[in-house]
Amino acid sequence: MSDATLHATDQNPDDFAVQIADQIESFLVAVTEVAKGDEPDSAVPFLLLEVSQLMLAGGRLGAHEDIVPDERYEPDPGPEQDVDLLRENLARILDPIDVYSEVFDPYEPRKAPVPARISDDLTDVITDLRHGMVHYRAGRTTEALWWWQFSYFSNWGSTASATLRALQSVVAHVRLNQPLEELDGLDTDQDLGDDALESEAGRVMVREIAGPLGLRPVK
């Protein structure tokens, strides 16, 4: 990436920085709209689409050469926006499929799955992306790209990819008419540390979530 691209001020839509920022902004707006709960029937398919598109931006950041910020120390972006209400709204909309089973690092052997929440994951990703967006909107384009690339590797990339797998799994179970408890993918015999979450994740049936979440099995 040339300095001219990194520091462009004309907002050329073909510029790498502008494209990444547009994809991230689209994700932030879309998830915020889903959390309002105005269209709960399309929540899961819409989130599947938005997280998939975000992962494209992450892949482009990950495949790019290392981005070096202009300054040695990060400029203070100010206080982080509160995400508690967003998290609570997403958890309510996504119930009862909010909880899923995740392995943090597929290259670490014999790691037991742990319970995770889609609502927690999405708000965690949003916090990272908003942090970089503050820099971008302040004209610190290189700083924003550096932050998005760094946090993609260190946090939001793995978190978003886990969320994507969970959302894709829900849609697949419904569209293929496969009740969750009949599959072997979720081992509820393991002690995951939270019996309530484990039971919820393991026993949710497709027939209980298809209608409320706007999903229909394949005929």
Side-chain angles (χ1 to χ4, degrees):
M1 180 188 303
S2 67
D3 289 342
T5 299
L6 281 174
H7 300 283
T9 59
D10 59 359
Q11 294 295 292
N12 185 333
D14 293 329
D15 285 346
F16 178 79
V18 174
Q19 292 174 357
I20 295 297
D22 284 349
Q23 287 180 287
I24 288 174
E25 177 69 13
S26 175
F27 176 81
L28 294 174
V29 171
V31 176
T32 302
E33 287 300 311
V34 170
K36 292 179 181 179
D38 295 336
E39 298 183 18
D41 289 349
S42 60
V44 169
F46 195 55
L47 288 174
L48 176 63
L49 174 62
E50 291 301 323
V51 178
S52 297
Q53 292 177 333
L54 178 66
M55 291 307 297
L56 172 60
R60 295 182 67 192
L61 287 164
H64 208 280
E65 64 190 64
D66 289 345
I67 299 169
V68 180
D70 296 326
E71 302 178 25
R72 181 176 181 181
Y73 299 103
E74 179 187 11
D76 184 6
E80 302 283 358
Q81 288 183 254
D82 184 75
V83 294
D84 286 345
L85 181 59
L86 180 68
R87 179 186 295 107
E88 292 169 4
N89 288 342
L90 287 169
R92 184 181 66 254
I93 293 168
L94 294 171
D95 182 67
I97 54 89
D98 192 24
V99 180
Y100 69 98
S101 180
E102 167 63 358
V103 176
F104 285 121
D105 191 335
Y107 285 100
E108 290 188 21
R110 296 178 295 280
K111 288 291 185 179
V114 296
R117 288 185 179 272
I118 296 175
S119 56
D120 288 343
D121 289 350
L122 289 174
T123 48
D124 189 24
V125 170
I126 282 176
T127 297
D128 275 348
L129 299 181
R130 281 178 174 175
H131 185 99
M133 188 59 72
V134 171
H135 289 308
Y136 184 79
R137 289 172 177 164
R140 298 187 291 268
T141 304
T142 315
E143 188 71 40
L145 288 172
W146 175 85
W147 172 259
W148 285 327
Q149 186 185 63
F150 167 76
S151 56
Y152 169 75
F153 287 127
S154 63
N155 185 50
W156 74 260
S158 58
T159 302
S161 64
T163 306
L164 180 62
R165 291 196 302 273
L167 292 168
Q168 191 274 340
S169 179
V170 171
V171 174
H173 285 315
V174 173
R175 297 287 167 80
L176 299 177
N177 197 23
Q178 295 176 329
L180 295 178
E181 70 176 10
E182 293 181 0
L183 301 180
D184 296 327
L186 189 61
D187 185 358
T188 58
D189 292 330
Q190 298 184 54
D191 181 8
L192 301 182
D194 192 325
D195 291 339
L197 298 185
E198 177 182 319
S199 176
E200 183 179 10
R203 298 183 181 181
V204 169
M205 299 293 290
V206 169
R207 63 175 178 268
E208 297 172 349
I209 65 177
L213 295 179
L215 301 174
R216 295 293 181 271
V218 175
K219 298 298 186 180

